[in-house]
Amino acid sequence: MTFPSVRRGLTAATALTLTACLITACSSDSGGEKTQAATEYTVWDPYPQFDASSDWVKLLTTCGTDAGVTVKRTGYDTTDLTNKALLAAQQDNSPDVLIVDNPVVSTLAEAGVLTTTDEVKTDTSAISPNLLAAGQLGGKTYGVPIGANTLALYYNKKVLDAAKVDPATVKDWASLTAALDKVKAAGKKGITFSAIGTEEGSFQFLPWFWGSGANLTQLDSAQGVAALTLWTDWVKKGLAPNSVLNNTQTTSWQEFATGDFAFSENGTWQLANAKKTGFEYGIIPIPSQAGGTAPAPTGGEFVTAPVQSDTAKYATTQKLIACLTSADNALTTDTTLSYVAATDAVQQKQVAANPELKVWVEAVAAAKGRTSDDLGTKYPKISQPLWTAFQAALSGSKQPQQALTDAQSAAAK
């Protein structure tokens, strides 16, 4: 399990090009007929790592049997999956159920590929609104989240004990920075994170950006500058290593796993690796500037229903989606994927089974989708200038204010 957007990331330029092609019907092969039998329903997902023996594929088979149909499942890498979904829609050959990374939903919805949950009659009433928002565009909902992962701070108890830092005292930016100062004074390293110039870096910056009160529609606000200044000052003072400029979340984790760092910003997908470090660790939410839990971005997939020329199929599609996202099945699936469930009822079951997940449930409750606030397909055009800005500031080529002013100008274009 790795970072959702990078592990199965969408290439924005490719998606937009294919979207334009879809809208203008530029392919000559647009009259293809579906070849599947009426009793065979196709499911495409971004989990090529799961084979027929996996719990996930067994669940798909069971859901098909319960609905009275045979499920034909294909797993793709997300880049391939997004492109194939766009082209299949153009040829009227879409799968019946499509499971995609949450930032992709708005791209497919804008291109006219997906039905709404109202059309398929999918019940979303139990879904946490902040998670559901990642699949909404223009006031309509285009799918159901399987679950979510997000970011928090792992800490090394031995390092904090040596520096006489109680992790429970880390409640805001000031107390976190004070803790890092103590750790450095004790001869250890402070915090590691990913500030690489990709969507992965933006994903890691967003808790600090949103935690300042900043909004993605105004990158160079005073709040946004405060967030970037925080990161920049940590690197200048040696509280964070220069390697953050090139760190992915994987290499950042590898730094933390050496045992030299006090904190690591990372996700739920590192829980299994945390148990392998050989040292005692803990997890706390990422603090916002003024205190409380910062909104971190959500990762995870949505179960969607692509548009079909035969709308009579939607009734069975709805049964498949309801089965895949039911409380009992979601518990097993989210455990397999290291996700926090999308409903309160299943989250409570997860915490009862594994108390370590309590902090992650709290983090997910405060989290938000990158395409939320009705940003939709505008988000990639904002994220790239944002990562360009923090790369410039952390490398010292620009001051935080100038870096974000330039980023806002680029995003506005």
Side-chain angles (χ1 to χ4, degrees):
M1 176 62 192
T2 54
F3 168 60
S5 276
V6 174
R7 172 169 59 90
R8 300 183 296 273
L10 167 65
T11 303
T14 302
L16 292 174
T17 300
L18 286 170
T19 300
C21 186
L22 174 62
I23 292 169
T24 57
C26 55
S27 169
S28 60
D29 184 17
S30 59
E33 301 239 345
K34 288 182 180 285
T35 58
Q36 67 187 41
T39 57
E40 183 178 270
Y41 277 63
T42 53
V43 176
W44 292 359
D45 66 48
Y47 311 131
Q49 71 271 30
F50 295 139
D51 61 21
S53 67
S54 66
D55 288 340
W56 169 248
V57 177
K58 289 176 181 177
L59 173 60
L60 290 173
T61 301
T62 299
C63 287
T65 300
D66 291 348
V69 297
T70 300
V71 166
K72 181 181 179 182
R73 173 260 180 177
T74 308
Y76 295 101
D77 174 79
T78 280
T79 301
D80 290 339
L81 179 59
T82 304
N83 295 342
K84 288 181 184 299
L86 287 162
L87 291 173
Q90 181 185 352
Q91 298 165 357
D92 189 25
N93 196 31
S94 292
D96 297 289
V97 177
L98 176 65
I99 301 167
V100 291
D101 197 11
N102 73 72
V104 177
V105 175
S106 57
T107 296
L108 298 179
E110 189 174 87
V113 173
L114 304 178
T115 64
T116 66
T117 53
D118 286 343
E119 289 175 275
V120 184
K121 296 180 172 56
T122 299
D123 183 11
T124 62
S125 60
I127 306 296
S128 299
N130 65 318
L131 301 184
L132 194 63
Q136 294 174 327
L137 186 69
K140 297 180 179 179
T141 304
Y142 290 91
V144 180
I146 286 181
N149 52 25
T150 193
L151 298 166
L153 294 180
Y154 289 83
Y155 64 83
N156 183 322
K157 188 175 185 300
K158 183 178 180 181
V159 172
L160 292 187
D161 285 349
K164 295 181 170 52
V165 171
D166 179 356
T169 64
V170 177
K171 299 291 188 182
D172 53 24
W173 290 2
S175 55
L176 176 56
T177 300
L180 297 178
D181 284 329
K182 289 181 181 179
V183 168
K184 183 183 177 184
K188 291 292 186 177
K189 298 175 182 179
I191 186 169
T192 177
F193 51 88
S194 170
I196 194 169
T198 67
E199 174 59 26
E200 195 164 359
S202 290
F203 190 82
Q204 288 241 318
F205 183 59
L206 282 174
W208 313 98
F209 184 81
W210 283 333
S212 71
N215 191 294
L216 286 171
T217 57
Q218 191 62 47
L219 298 179
D220 58 348
S221 66
Q223 294 91 338
V225 173
L228 185 48
T229 300
L230 178 74
W231 264 21
T232 304
D233 285 350
W234 283 349
V235 172
K236 283 182 179 178
K237 293 166 63 178
L239 304 180
N242 288 322
S243 58
V244 298
L245 275 159
N246 298 310
N247 269 346
T248 64
Q249 289 179 117
T250 299
T251 57
S252 170
W253 180 262
Q254 289 168 350
E255 288 181 334
F256 179 66
T258 64
D260 293 331
F261 282 85
F263 293 97
S264 170
E265 179 184 356
N266 230 296
T268 44
W269 53 90
Q270 297 292 8
L271 275 172
N273 288 329
K275 293 175 172 61
K276 300 174 184 177
T277 59
F279 55 78
E280 191 175 354
Y281 70 92
I283 306 163
I284 59 173
I286 297 173
S288 64
Q289 182 175 19
T293 301
T298 56
E301 288 78 39
F302 270 62
V303 185
T304 68
V307 173
Q308 305 291 336
S309 56
D310 180 5
T311 58
K313 299 187 76 181
Y314 293 157
T316 299
T317 297
Q318 187 277 330
K319 292 179 182 179
L320 294 174
I321 293 174
C323 178
L324 291 173
T325 57
S326 71
D328 290 340
N329 291 333
L331 179 61
T332 300
T333 300
D334 289 332
T335 300
T336 299
L337 298 174
S338 295
Y339 284 172
V340 170
T343 65
D344 180 67
V346 182
Q347 289 174 3
Q348 290 181 26
K349 291 182 180 180
Q350 288 182 301
V351 174
N354 182 4
E356 190 177 40
L357 291 176
K358 185 175 185 296
V359 67
W360 292 109
V361 168
E362 293 171 357
V364 165
K368 62 189 293 185
R370 285 158 282 171
T371 59
S372 297
D373 302 325
D374 216 29
L375 285 178
T377 55
K378 296 176 186 175
Y379 174 73
K381 302 171 187 177
I382 296 170
S383 178
Q384 184 167 353
L386 184 61
W387 80 57
T388 301
F390 59 67
Q391 281 265 302
L394 292 173
S395 67
S397 63
K398 292 181 183 178
Q399 293 299 310
Q401 177 68 67
Q402 187 59 55
L404 287 173
T405 297
D406 293 345
Q408 179 59 32
S409 296
K413 292 177 182 178

